[in-house]
Amino acid sequence: MNNLQHARNSPSSSPGPVEISIREKVIMLTALLQPASITITNDSWQHRHHSAMRDQENNGETHFSVQVVSDAFEKKTTMQRHRIVYSALSDEFARGLHALSLKTKTVAEVAASGDGRS
Amino acid sequence: MFRPSLRSSLRSLHRTAPSTLLASRLVAYRCISDDVRAKLQSAVKASPVVLFMKGTPAEPQCGFSRAVVQILDLHGVPAEKMQTYNVLADQELRSSIKEFSEWPTVPQVYVNGEFIGGCDILIGMHQSGELETLLENNGVIPKIEDSASSEAEAPASEKATS
């Protein structure tokens, strides 16, 4: 059963084009990874002062955190897991997505860490 | 603790961040030339630990780069075994390193020429203990033995490559 969570911590009320696009890609990822849970958080507001961000036109959508729990990550290194998510989001990087903080775990790893949030 | 020596060993690379983000985006997905690839290939092997970051260890310009510097510092990576490159001071480096590593974000860490990962991976490896093992096995930091020698061995001659 897929339990998709879309958390938004940004002060802005509605998702911008980059976030919408990440959501769409997450649906692709859903087919690919069959994730138990996905959480997307827009952290861009924390980086508004960031020197490289000042003249970005899409200032509100540059930094995101994505947490994916999927058994498709089984027997893959962290780097391989991150590459899977990064490759799904290459268009977003080309369009100004700047930083993506990833947490990629399997269901068993989440259970073992006691950090269960699904 | 290593911070002062770290700072002194670095060339004063930090300049104001170039504001040509658009330009960097336009070139971000072209193919890097063989020449650039060869340069990066030797750059990642210039030192046992090579860090591509925003800013300098003394003045990181990004929280993720700062976190990586702090983790390497925490493990006692000696300055003479680490080379850092400030991608904000070099637009070509900034775009080409992403393609070279096939990794879309900076910071990026290499150990003995091998790509290890970015901030999230370093934090994860630090927490699991893998990073310490990796640095020990690559001769970057001394293995901790019972009759512990507390500091790194005699520093090798310093080299500054750019």
Side-chain angles (χ1 to χ4, degrees):
Chain A
M1 178 171 70
N2 288 338
N3 168 26
L4 297 187
Q5 304 172 16
H6 299 294
R8 223 171 31 242
N9 281 356
S10 113
S12 64
S13 53
S14 60
V18 176
E19 185 168 346
I20 289 169
S21 166
I22 293 177
R23 277 172 205 287
E24 285 167 1
K25 292 299 162 59
V26 161
I27 292 167
M28 267 175 47
L29 273 181
T30 307
L32 190 70
L33 299 175
Q34 297 290 314
S37 99
I38 290 184
T39 309
I40 303 175
T41 315
N42 184 351
D43 306 322
S44 305
W45 60 278
Q46 295 174 320
H47 301 268
R48 277 169 310 192
H49 60 283
H50 190 308
S51 61
M53 295 299 96
R54 271 183 217 130
D55 33 70
Q56 277 273 68
E57 68 277 13
N58 52 356
N59 203 356
E61 289 199 289
T62 50
H63 293 68
F64 286 87
S65 302
V66 175
Q67 295 177 31
V68 188
V69 179
S70 167
D71 283 336
F73 293 141
E74 205 82 64
K75 297 198 174 79
K76 290 197 164 61
T77 65
T78 309
M79 193 188 299
Q80 291 169 325
R81 297 173 184 191
H82 286 205
R83 282 200 202 276
I84 292 171
V85 180
Y86 278 149
S87 63
L89 297 174
S90 56
D91 292 345
E92 287 69 22
F93 277 104
R95 282 165 46 192
L97 173 60
H98 183 81
L100 190 60
S101 177
L102 292 179
K103 285 211 169 88
T104 47
K105 293 194 183 273
T106 63
V107 174
E109 287 165 352
V110 170
S113 70
D115 169 39
R117 39 175 303 163
S118 65
Chain B
M1 184 176 183
F2 282 94
R3 188 96 18 143
S5 57
L6 202 64
R7 210 178 275 144
S8 63
S9 81
L10 287 160
R11 296 144 298 148
S12 52
L13 253 181
H14 88 92
R15 285 161 224 162
T16 43
S19 58
T20 50
L21 264 174
L22 184 65
S24 82
R25 219 176 306 152
L26 288 176
V27 297
Y29 286 87
R30 67 161 192 203
C31 288
I32 58 176
S33 68
D34 291 346
D35 182 42
V36 171
R37 187 170 292 277
K39 261 195 263 177
L40 287 172
Q41 196 64 56
S42 59
V44 300
K45 292 179 179 156
S47 180
V49 178
V50 174
L51 168 62
F52 297 88
M53 64 177 292
K54 292 179 178 171
T56 64
E59 290 188 54
Q61 298 293 309
C62 158
F64 301 105
S65 290
R66 182 197 308 274
V68 169
V69 167
Q70 286 174 340
I71 287 172
L72 294 174
D73 195 30
L74 194 68
H75 283 277
V77 174
E80 65 277 4
K81 290 189 177 172
M82 179 155 111
Q83 170 79 49
T84 68
Y85 294 90
N86 179 2
V87 303
L88 294 180
D90 185 341
Q91 278 305 309
E92 185 176 40
L93 175 64
R94 185 174 181 175
S95 51
S96 58
I97 191 61
K98 292 178 183 177
E99 192 179 323
F100 178 81
S101 306
E102 295 172 54
W103 197 258
T105 53
V106 171
Q108 298 184 4
V109 179
Y110 280 80
V111 174
N112 283 339
E114 196 187 333
F115 181 54
I116 304 305
C119 182
D120 288 328
I121 287 181
L122 264 276
I123 289 174
M125 290 177 75
H126 164 64
Q127 286 166 343
S128 69
E130 284 168 88
L131 182 60
E132 184 173 22
T133 310
L134 177 91
L135 293 172
E136 285 177 356
N137 290 346
N138 280 274
V140 177
I141 56 173
K143 288 197 176 165
I144 294 173
E145 286 151 40
D146 288 336
S147 54
S149 56
S150 61
E151 292 297 351
E153 322 103 65
S157 61
E158 254 180 53
K159 51 184 170 189
T161 328
S162 67

